[in-house]
């Protein structure tokens, strides 16, 4: 099996542990969608325990799972080993600054990334993610919707780091670069 979509099943942490057991035997997986399952940090930790073996993973959707910083930290360890990743969706997980900083190191190793969604994560600082964006020369879509407001200087730094990407800015982007 190379593709699995378990989105919207409200698996929670307990279901994530069961899914993780099955995923452990699917090292050929290239696409996995676990969005909308309310995994929380505990479920993310269980899934991350097997994700690191899936080195062929190209598309991963963990959006809308309330991972927060703890879950993001667990997932970041696995993401760093997924060098074929082209699409990653971590939107709506309340990562905040700590979670973003944890994920930034892994993202910096993903030089094949083409689509990255970090929207709706209540991030207060984007600075830790700038080096990661610069390390993704193939990045074509970057979603930062509802990221909060960016200063003109930070918008410029993001645009420079992700120079080839089509960036979805927060709704309040009436100010031009």
């Amino acid at each position: 099996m190379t593709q699995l979509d378990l989105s919207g099943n409200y698996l929670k942490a307990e279901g994530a542990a069961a899914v993780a057991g099955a995923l452990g035997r699917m090292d050929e997986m290239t696409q996995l969608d676990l969005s909308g399952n309310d995994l929380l940090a505990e479920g993310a930790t269980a899934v991350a325990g097997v994700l690191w073996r899936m080195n062929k993973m190209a598309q991963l959707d963990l959006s809308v799972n309330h991972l927060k910083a703890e879950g993001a930290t667990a997932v970041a360890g696995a993401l760093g080993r997924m060098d074929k990743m082209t699409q990653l969706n971590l939107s709506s997980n309340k990562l905040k600054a700590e979670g973003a900083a944890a994920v930034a190191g892994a993202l910096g190793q993903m030089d094949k990334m083409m689509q990255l969604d970090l929207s709706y994560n209540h991030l207060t600082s984007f600075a830790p993610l700038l080096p990661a964006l610069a390390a993704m020369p193939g990045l074509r879509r970057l979603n930062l919707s509802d990221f909060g407001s960016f200063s003109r200087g930070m918008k410029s730094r993001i645009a420079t780091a992700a120079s080839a990407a089509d960036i979805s800015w927060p709704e309040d982007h009436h100010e031009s670069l």
Side-chain angles (χ1 to χ4, degrees):
M1 178 178 296
T2 61
Q3 301 176 17
L4 182 60
D5 184 346
L6 293 173
S7 61
N9 284 299
Y10 204 59
L11 296 172
K12 294 188 163 193
E14 300 81 23
V19 167
L23 289 175
R25 296 181 296 276
M26 299 180 187
D27 58 354
E28 297 294 315
M29 185 76 56
T30 60
Q31 296 178 23
L32 179 61
D33 187 345
L34 292 174
S35 63
N37 279 298
D38 202 25
L39 300 180
L40 308 173
E42 184 181 344
T45 301
V47 170
V50 296
L51 281 179
W52 68 270
R53 291 183 231 158
M54 299 179 166
N55 62 356
K56 294 180 182 176
M57 186 70 66
Q59 298 176 20
L60 179 62
D61 190 340
L62 293 174
S63 62
V64 196
N65 277 304
H66 304 98
L67 302 182
K68 298 186 178 178
E70 184 182 345
T73 301
V75 169
L79 291 176
R81 298 175 184 193
M82 297 178 164
D83 62 351
K84 292 174 179 55
M85 184 74 64
T86 60
Q87 295 179 29
L88 178 62
N89 189 341
L90 292 175
S91 67
S92 302
N93 276 304
K94 299 179 184 177
L95 300 182
K96 297 189 177 180
E98 184 183 342
V103 170
L107 292 175
Q109 299 171 39
M110 299 178 153
D111 62 347
K112 292 177 179 63
M113 184 67 65
M114 296 174 66
Q115 296 181 26
L116 177 61
D117 191 338
L118 296 173
S119 61
Y120 301 96
N121 273 304
H122 309 285
L123 302 182
T124 55
S125 173
F126 199 82
L129 292 163
L130 288 173
L133 291 179
M136 297 179 196
L139 189 63
R140 297 294 177 255
R141 294 204 34 81
L142 175 61
N143 191 345
L144 302 176
S145 298
D146 197 46
F147 200 95
S149 62
F150 290 103
S151 69
R152 179 175 281 198
M154 183 54 75
K155 283 183 179 180
S156 178
R157 291 174 66 195
I158 293 168
T160 299
S163 60
D166 175 21
I167 303 172
S168 296
W169 295 101
E171 294 301 321
D172 65 346
H173 71 282
H174 57 279
E175 187 180 311
S176 65
L177 295 175

